């Protein structure tokens, strides 16, 4: 599908976001290994999260979906059944990495793969700790999917993450539920904490001491009835759009405000965005609130603060749209973002190529970008590389570009934000 967009006069109205993708994955997996029925409202409708549900069904879990409500009948901690087919994680790195931790604790062999994009993403970072714990994990050369996992009783580990990765941390913590003693993960750069929060909510014992996160084995997990907050990563596109398009004002209700991801909001406010958090509250350990954002001419006058170190790790999914924003301000420097090279696409390369296609000056670094500011973007054909965040980021660029911009393979947005194009059209004037 090709989506054609022209500059918007303004953005106004209410943006109802899909459920948080990261939280939805974790709730579904923990529900599957809990006892009793779990019911989740606001569950993410993204293709990625439905890949997780399909994998759970193949493992013998009863799953029913009605709109954005998902009910899952848990099978208990060790109750998953051997699948008669290869599990298909689709485009979802979260599905393959987190589910591998659970499968490593089950005494049967499972094969799990994904689409062509996922099959090129490195899995050595989960293979190594799972092998240390006693699981047998095989892969293609280079640690690439498909993976073949033969699990069973695992040994506890104290594992220091070699790279900042919430997925790797979560894989090891979930495998730790099946270990012979307490398992601990050290992260020197904090990553999103949804797994730790969800584990506690379902009944696991989790302790945090400094950089170390510990989980006790053999918990009695119980089904839960929970509401998934709106996806902050999805909100980022509309926050950036309102920052750029004159006269804009948007309200985004019920957005997840987990402290480990709230860096995005703090960063945008530091950059000069007119952003307010209203009606802040907490539910099931996850903070949430309503975001009101207005056009911010002051933001466009100055260079954005550099994105580096801990900020990069906390905002890794939002960097594509922040790069677009940086092209319209007085510039932006992005560093320590080498992880973007091994996402759904090489996002550093994709950002640079598409900004250049729109007339921006960009220098590509091994771990980031230098974006010259004050750019007036021109229309272009945007090559998304079937990467949802690239497609949606450059939809924001199109809102202020001269002429008609065409987003190639625009359906890729469905991976994380089904209905994105309709939602954008509903607020663009």
């Amino acid at each position: 599908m090709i989506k054609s967009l022209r500059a918007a006069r303004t953005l106004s109205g209410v943006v109802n976001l899909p459920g948080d993708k990261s939280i939805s994955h974790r709730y579904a997996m923990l529900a599957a290994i809990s006892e009793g029925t779990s019911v989740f409202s606001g569950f993410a409708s993204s293709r990625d999260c439905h890949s997780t549900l399909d994998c759970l069904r193949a493992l013998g879990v009863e799953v029913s979906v009605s709109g954005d409500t998902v009910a899952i009948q848990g099978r208990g901690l060790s109750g998953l059944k051997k699948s008669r087919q290869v599990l298909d994680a689709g485009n979802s790195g979260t599905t393959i990495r987190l589910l591998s931790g659970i499968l490593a604790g089950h005494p049967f062999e499972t094969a799990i793969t994904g689409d062509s994009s996922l099959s090129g993403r490195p899995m050595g970072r989960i293979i190594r700790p799972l092998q240390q714990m006693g699981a047998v994990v095989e892969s293609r050369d280079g640690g690439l999917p498909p993976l073949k996992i033969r699990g069973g009783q695992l040994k506890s580990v104290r594992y220091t993450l070699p790279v900042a990765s919430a997925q790797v941390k979560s894989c090891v913590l979930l495998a730790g539920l099946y270990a012979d003693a307490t398992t601990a993960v050290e992260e020197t750069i904090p990553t999103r904490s949804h797994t730790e929060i969800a584990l506690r909510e379902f009944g696991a014992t989790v302790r945090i001491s400094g950089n170390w996160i510990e989980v006790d084995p053999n918990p009695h997990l119980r089904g839960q009835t929970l509401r998934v907050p709106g996806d902050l990563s999805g909100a980022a596109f509309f926050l950036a759009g309102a920052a750029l398009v004159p006269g804009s004002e948007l309200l985004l209700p019920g957005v997840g405000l987990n402290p480990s991801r709230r860096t995005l909001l703090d960063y945008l406010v530091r950059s000069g965005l007119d952003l307010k958090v209203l009606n802040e509250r907490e539910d099931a350990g996850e903070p949430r609130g309503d975001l009101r954002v207005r056009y911010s001419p002051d933001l466009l006058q100055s260079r954005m603060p550099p994105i580096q170190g801990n900020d990069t790790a906390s905002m890794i999914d939002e960097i594509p749209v922040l790069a677009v924003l940086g092209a319209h301000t007085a510039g932006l420097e992005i560093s320590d973002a080498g992880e973007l090279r091994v996402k759904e696409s090489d996002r550093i390369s994709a950002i640079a190529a598409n900004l250049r296609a729109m007339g921006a000056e960009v220098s590509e670094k091994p771990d980031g970008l230098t974006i010259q500011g004050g750019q007036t973007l021109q229309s272009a054909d945007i090559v998304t590389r079937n990467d949802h965040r690239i497609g949606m980021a450059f939809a924001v660029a199109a809102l202020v570009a001269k002429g008609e911009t065409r987003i190639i393979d625009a359906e890729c947005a469905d991976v994380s934000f089904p209905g994105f194009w309709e939602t954008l059209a509903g607020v663009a004037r």
Side-chain angles (χ1 to χ4, degrees):
M1 177 178 79
I2 297 174
K3 195 73 180 177
S4 297
L5 299 171
R6 289 188 173 274
R9 288 182 291 105
T10 193
L11 302 178
S12 64
V14 177
V15 177
N16 291 306
L17 298 163
D20 187 284
K21 191 160 69 87
S22 295
I23 295 173
S24 295
H25 281 298
R26 289 155 171 81
Y27 281 1
M29 292 184 199
L30 288 173
I33 57 173
S34 295
E35 295 179 8
T37 301
S38 293
V39 179
F40 309 124
S41 56
F43 192 88
S45 55
S46 66
R47 286 207 305 259
D48 274 6
C49 288
H50 280 267
S51 292
T52 288
L53 296 181
D54 288 343
C55 287
L56 294 177
R57 288 188 182 101
L59 292 163
V61 180
E62 185 179 328
V63 179
S64 61
V65 179
S66 177
D68 70 352
T69 298
V70 171
I72 297 176
Q73 181 62 50
R75 297 190 59 86
L77 188 64
S78 300
L80 299 183
K81 293 183 176 179
K82 178 179 171 62
S83 174
R84 291 181 290 180
Q85 63 201 51
V86 175
L87 300 182
D88 184 1
N91 190 243
S92 177
T94 304
T95 302
I96 193 170
R97 291 190 176 119
L98 271 62
L99 193 55
S100 291
I102 292 173
L103 292 170
H106 283 75
F108 50 71
E109 182 176 285
T110 307
I112 183 167
T113 190
D115 65 11
S116 58
S117 171
L118 186 63
S119 295
R121 295 176 67 180
M123 296 295 146
R125 56 186 59 176
I126 64 164
I127 293 172
R128 286 186 288 273
L130 292 180
Q131 288 177 335
Q132 288 179 30
M133 297 179 80
V136 177
V137 186
E138 300 175 6
S139 68
R140 288 194 294 126
D141 289 348
L144 301 177
L147 303 181
K148 188 178 292 184
I149 301 167
R150 291 191 292 278
Q153 178 64 55
L154 301 178
K155 300 175 292 187
S156 65
V157 292
R158 290 182 65 82
Y159 187 75
T160 298
L161 295 177
V163 295
S165 171
Q167 292 180 358
V168 178
K169 171 181 70 174
S170 300
C171 172
V172 178
L173 291 175
L174 290 170
L177 301 177
Y178 301 90
D180 57 1
T182 296
T183 289
V185 178
E186 183 185 33
E187 52 177 7
T188 54
I189 297 176
T191 63
R192 56 188 60 178
S193 59
H194 300 305
T195 299
E196 299 94 301
I197 291 171
L199 280 166
R200 284 175 173 153
E201 201 64 28
F202 280 82
T205 299
V206 178
R207 291 177 297 276
I208 299 175
S209 177
N211 295 333
W212 287 93
I213 304 152
E214 296 182 341
V215 63
D216 287 349
N218 252 343
H220 178 206
L221 303 180
R222 299 171 297 280
Q224 301 292 317
T225 298
L226 302 170
R227 178 160 189 83
V228 180
D231 189 1
L232 182 57
S233 293
F237 303 104
F238 292 90
L239 299 179
L244 292 173
V245 181
S248 294
E249 181 171 350
L250 296 173
L251 180 68
L252 294 76
V255 182
L257 301 175
N258 185 286
S260 61
R261 294 172 70 187
R262 194 164 176 159
T263 302
L264 171 68
L265 304 185
D266 296 336
Y267 176 81
L268 289 172
V269 170
R270 279 194 288 126
S271 299
L273 183 63
D274 183 354
L275 173 65
K276 302 292 184 187
V277 179
L278 311 172
N279 192 25
E280 194 162 356
R281 63 269 190 199
E282 185 175 296
D283 186 10
E286 290 284 358
R288 57 199 77 197
D290 307 331
L291 303 182
R292 192 210 66 203
V293 59
R294 292 173 173 155
Y295 172 64
S296 305
D298 290 347
L299 184 152
L300 304 180
Q301 305 301 318
S302 58
R303 190 171 180 85
M304 294 173 68
I307 300 175
Q308 57 193 3
N310 288 2
D311 283 353
T312 302
S314 296
M315 299 190 295
I316 196 73
D317 286 340
E318 290 77 50
I319 283 176
V321 75
L322 292 174
V324 167
L325 196 55
H328 287 274
T329 67
L332 174 61
E333 186 82 23
I334 300 169
S335 304
D336 304 316
E339 182 72 6
L340 290 177
R341 296 283 189 188
V342 291
K343 289 289 190 177
E344 285 85 336
S345 69
D346 178 343
R347 286 182 177 162
I348 291 175
S349 170
I351 292 166
N354 284 305
L355 281 177
R356 289 188 189 114
M358 299 186 84
E361 293 184 36
V362 184
S363 299
E364 189 175 333
K365 305 181 296 182
D367 70 340
L369 298 158
T370 300
I371 301 167
Q372 300 302 317
Q375 312 287 328
T376 298
L377 298 186
Q378 308 294 323
S379 62
D381 283 359
I382 300 301
V383 180
T384 64
R385 307 187 188 185
N386 285 308
D387 188 324
H388 54 124
R389 299 202 190 279
I390 297 299
M392 292 186 285
F394 282 88
V396 174
L399 297 175
V400 289
K402 290 186 175 181
E404 183 178 84
T405 298
R406 302 197 317 156
I407 312 292
I408 312 300
D409 297 321
E411 68 276 7
C412 63
D414 289 347
V415 166
S416 63
F417 199 146
F420 171 79
W421 302 108
E422 295 78 6
T423 302
L424 182 61
V427 296
R429 308 288 183 245

